[in-house]
Amino acid sequence: MPAKKTILVEKMEHLLQLVGGKNRTGENLFITRGAVQKDLQPSEKGTYGFISFIRSDQQPSGPYSGLSIKVNPGKDHYRISLDIGNEGFGDDYQLATLPGTRRKYLELQHNIRIYAKDKKVDIKCFSALDFSNDSKKRELSDLEAEYYEDNIDSHPVDLFVAFTKRPTFNEDGIADENEDFWKVFKVMIAVYAELRQWPNIGEAKRAQLYKQELNLSKSAKDVDEVATVKHLLKTRRYVVVQGAPGTGKTYLTATLRKEYVDQNVIFTQFHAETTYSDFVGGYQPVTENGNLTYRYHEGPFLRAIKKAKDSKDPVLLIIDEINRANLSNVLGEAFYLFETHFDERRAEIEIGDPQAPVKLQQLPKNMRVIATMNTADRSLAVIDFALRRRFAWFTMNPREIKKEELSVNEKFHKEIFIRLHNIFQMYANSNELMLEPGQAYFITAKDNAEQEMKERLMYELLPLIREYLENGLMMQASDAFNQFFITEIDQTLFI
C-alpha cells in the first residue's frame, strides 16, 4: 500500500531526492510504500509497520521485485536495509551481482562498525551478499535474532542491514538530525543512489557529505606508501611492490634508494631471457691476448651479497619487473637464501665462483631486496607460493594525487581519473582490479593540459582498455567504458 505521508516519510523522501532520486521534471525515481505512525511507534493493533522506497516501475501495492531501501521500526531499534523484493531481484539481478555492489556494502559494513566502535554508539550492521539463491530466505544469524526479538517486522531477504538505536522524537514526530538513525539512513541512500547512477555532479557531492557524517568519505585512511615499504624492508627485508602501470612503483623505489649510500644500491631488471648467470653469476667467454677463455662473472645478486658482507651499512638490491623472468631458473639454489628467520639447523649452501664460492645459510642481515611486479600483464610468469612466503607483498592501487604532490608545472585530471576509477570499482572482480591504470596516466603538464590529456586518452588508455576487452577482461564494463570514451574524446571503443 502507499505509505502514509507523515513528516517522517516526507523527510526520507526529501533526502532521497537530494541525492538524485527525482528526474528533471521533479518526478520521483522511486515509489514509497508502507504504513507507519508519525514517530514509527506501534499502531493500536501493536504492529510497527514499514517504509519501503522501491523501483519506480513497480506497482504501488502488491508484490514487487528489485532492490529497495527499507526501514522497519521496532521497540528499541530501527532496521534500515537494502531489501530484495518479495518477487526477487527482477531487473535488478545484474546490478545486485556486480562486484561493485558487494564491494560497496562490505566496505560500508566495515566502516560503520569502525564508526560505532570509535563513537561507542549502538549501531550494528552486516552484509548477506550471497546471490546463489535469489530470494530464498536464509536462517537468521545470532546478531539478527537478537534484534528480531525487538519485534521488528520484516522478512529477512536483504543484501545489507543496519540496526540503530531508536531515535528520540519530539511531539511533532521529528527526530533530531544528529541521531544515528538519520546518519545511517543518509549514508545508505547515498550508496544506493550511486548504485542507481542517480546523482548529477551536485547531488554526488551531497552524497559525499552524507558519507562524511559517518566519516565515510574515504574507504580507508591514506597510506604513506614510502613509510610502509621502508618499514617492511627493515622488518621483513624482502618486499615485492605490485601494481598496474602508473601506480608509482618506479617512483617509490627511486625514492627509497635515496635512503641508502649510492654504492650500496644495485639495480637489475628482469626480462624473458634473464638467466641464472645474468642474475647470480656464471662463466662468460672473454678474449685475452687473442685467446678465447672463460672468466666467472658476478651477477647483481652476488655483488649485493658481497657488498653486504663487507659493509656495516644496509645494502639494497632492486629487481624491476621480477615476474618477467622464469624465477625458478633465474634464482636456482639462491631461492633457499630468502629466509628472514634464522635457524642454526639450516644447511649452508655455496653460490658464486666454484673456485672461490660464497657460503651462506641465509642472506646477510643488512641486505634488503625490493622487487616490482606489473599486475596488468597477464602474459607474465606466475609467482609460486613458496616464493610468496619469503617476501612481504605491498600493493599499490590507483589513487588521487594531492596538490602538494605535484610540481608547479603539473596538473592532475581528478574528474577523469574518478570516472574511470568508478567503472573499475563497479565492474571489476578482485583480479581485474589489478588492471586499473594508475594515477600517472592522469598527470600532465599544466601548459596545454586538456589537449595532452585527450591525447593520453586517445593513444594510451583507449588502446589499453580495448586490449583488455579483446582478451576477455572487464567484459561487463564494455558499455560503461564505451560511454566514457564517447563522453571524454568522442571516440568509441568498438571498431
Side-chain angles (χ1 to χ4, degrees):
M1 68 183 72
K4 184 177 180 180
K5 290 289 184 175
T6 66
I7 295 175
L8 184 72
V9 172
E10 289 176 351
K11 180 172 181 178
M12 290 179 180
E13 289 180 333
H14 179 63
L15 291 173
L16 275 161
Q17 291 169 350
L18 290 178
V19 291
K22 64 179 179 180
N23 59 26
R24 293 181 179 178
T25 63
E27 297 174 331
N28 287 341
L29 299 177
F30 57 88
I31 293 174
T32 307
R33 294 175 58 167
V36 291
Q37 303 299 310
K38 68 178 182 178
D39 56 356
L40 292 184
Q41 287 299 293
S43 65
E44 294 178 357
K45 297 180 179 180
T47 57
Y48 285 84
F50 68 93
I51 306 168
S52 286
F53 304 99
I54 67 173
R55 287 171 54 120
S56 59
D57 60 353
Q58 300 297 296
Q59 296 299 317
S61 62
Y64 66 94
S65 64
L67 303 181
S68 62
I69 291 292
K70 191 173 187 180
V71 176
N72 291 91
K75 180 181 178 182
D76 298 312
H77 299 90
Y78 289 170
R79 181 182 190 272
I80 312 169
S81 61
L82 176 65
D83 186 65
I84 305 170
N86 48 22
E87 289 197 328
F89 289 112
D91 292 340
D92 278 342
Y93 182 79
Q94 184 177 7
L95 176 63
T97 55
L98 284 177
T101 299
R102 180 182 182 88
R103 193 171 288 127
K104 281 179 180 290
Y105 281 97
L106 288 175
E107 180 182 58
L108 183 59
Q109 170 186 314
H110 172 72
N111 286 328
I112 288 180
R113 284 180 173 174
I114 291 175
Y115 173 84
K117 181 179 179 181
D118 290 345
K119 301 294 182 181
K120 298 181 180 179
V121 293
D122 189 9
I123 302 176
K124 303 291 183 183
C125 61
F126 62 94
S127 295
L129 296 168
D130 179 3
F131 308 127
S132 56
N133 296 301
D134 278 8
S135 58
K136 182 180 179 181
K137 294 186 178 182
R138 51 186 167 71
E139 294 182 2
L140 299 181
S141 68
D142 292 340
L143 175 63
E144 291 175 275
E146 175 187 344
Y147 285 92
Y148 274 97
E149 291 174 0
D150 196 21
N151 295 323
I152 295 176
D153 177 28
S154 177
H155 60 92
V157 185
D158 45 60
L159 302 188
F160 181 88
V161 172
F163 291 96
T164 69
K165 188 175 180 180
R166 178 188 182 278
T168 302
F169 292 88
N170 63 21
E171 59 184 13
D172 296 320
I174 301 175
D176 191 292
E177 286 276 353
N178 292 319
E179 294 276 2
D180 290 325
F181 166 76
W182 286 117
K183 291 181 178 180
V184 174
F185 178 78
K186 286 195 285 187
V187 76
M188 285 189 62
I189 64 173
V191 174
Y192 181 75
E194 290 174 354
L195 289 178
R196 293 284 185 207
Q197 299 183 4
W198 283 351
N200 58 31
I201 294 176
E203 292 161 345
K205 289 181 179 179
R206 186 174 293 108
Q208 286 298 103
L209 290 175
Y210 285 178
K211 292 182 179 182
Q212 288 173 8
E213 291 189 34
L214 281 180
N215 299 325
L216 301 175
S217 57
K218 295 183 179 180
S219 60
K221 295 180 179 178
D222 291 336
V223 175
D224 187 329
E225 295 167 335
V226 173
T228 301
V229 176
K230 188 188 301 184
H231 170 75
L232 290 173
L233 282 171
K234 182 178 180 180
T235 58
R236 295 292 303 275
R237 295 168 52 196
Y238 319 129
V239 181
V240 174
V241 176
Q242 63 179 352
T247 51
K249 302 185 296 296
T250 302
Y251 176 81
L252 176 66
T253 56
T255 302
L256 287 169
R257 70 181 299 161
K258 297 176 183 178
E259 302 285 325
Y260 296 79
V261 179
D262 284 345
Q263 60 267 29
N264 282 1
V265 177
I266 296 176
F267 175 88
T268 187
Q269 187 176 55
F270 282 3
H271 53 80
E273 302 302 321
T274 300
T275 65
Y276 177 90
S277 294
D278 296 325
F279 181 58
V280 179
Y283 284 100
Q284 295 184 356
V286 295
T287 301
E288 292 183 356
N289 301 321
N291 298 317
L292 180 65
T293 186
Y294 289 88
R295 182 180 299 164
Y296 193 87
H297 168 77
E298 294 180 347
F301 184 66
L302 196 55
R303 296 201 306 273
I305 289 174
K306 287 191 172 182
K307 276 187 178 290
K309 288 173 71 69
D310 296 337
S311 174
K312 293 182 179 180
D313 296 323
V315 171
L316 179 66
L317 173 62
I318 302 173
I319 305 173
D320 194 36
E321 304 284 8
I322 190 174
N323 57 330
R324 283 193 173 274
N326 184 323
L327 294 178
S328 296
N329 292 342
V330 171
L331 293 177
E333 76 279 8
F335 174 89
Y336 176 80
L337 299 174
F338 286 86
E339 186 64 62
T340 56
H341 303 291
F342 181 73
D343 186 342
E344 292 182 353
R345 296 170 297 177
R346 284 175 61 81
E348 189 175 68
I349 66 170
E350 297 180 351
I351 64 170
D353 187 350
Q355 304 301 319
V358 178
K359 299 179 180 181
L360 295 168
Q361 288 178 297
Q362 63 177 169
L363 296 180
K365 292 186 177 180
N366 62 331
M367 181 173 167
R368 314 279 187 262
V369 179
I370 184 168
T372 65
M373 190 172 90
N374 177 5
T375 56
D377 195 334
R378 304 280 98 181
S379 66
L380 301 184
V382 176
I383 306 295
D384 65 46
F385 292 116
L387 186 63
R388 284 186 177 275
R389 181 185 69 80
R390 287 166 162 79
F391 280 80
W393 294 76
F394 180 78
T395 301
M396 298 190 71
N397 297 306
R399 63 179 180 84
E400 293 182 28
I401 296 294
K402 298 176 181 178
K403 187 176 181 179
E404 56 268 25
E405 296 180 80
L406 298 170
S407 71
V408 293
N409 298 317
E410 289 180 323
K411 176 179 179 179
F412 177 62
H413 297 259
K414 179 178 176 180
E415 292 77 14
I416 298 175
F417 167 81
I418 290 175
R419 283 194 282 274
L420 189 62
H421 175 70
N422 286 342
I423 293 175
F424 275 89
Q425 287 295 307
M426 179 55 69
Y427 294 97
N429 60 36
S430 296
N431 289 328
E432 290 171 337
L433 274 183
M434 304 299 283
L435 305 175
E436 182 183 347
Q439 60 275 10
Y441 280 95
F442 304 89
I443 299 174
T444 66
K446 276 189 177 179
D447 297 336
N448 203 28
E450 303 310 315
Q451 181 61 30
E452 187 177 339
M453 190 64 235
K454 285 185 177 180
E455 291 178 0
R456 187 79 53 81
L457 288 164
M458 174 73 77
Y459 301 115
E460 295 182 44
L461 288 169
L462 187 146
L464 178 65
I465 299 300
R466 184 177 285 158
E467 184 177 346
Y468 286 166
L469 295 174
E470 289 173 352
N471 282 277
L473 300 166
M474 296 294 299
M475 295 300 292
Q476 288 191 93
S478 59
D479 289 339
F481 281 138
N482 191 51
Q483 188 58 53
F484 169 79
F485 287 110
I486 289 174
T487 301
E488 297 300 335
I489 54 174
D490 197 25
Q491 290 292 318
T492 178
L493 270 174
F494 311 118
I495 301 175

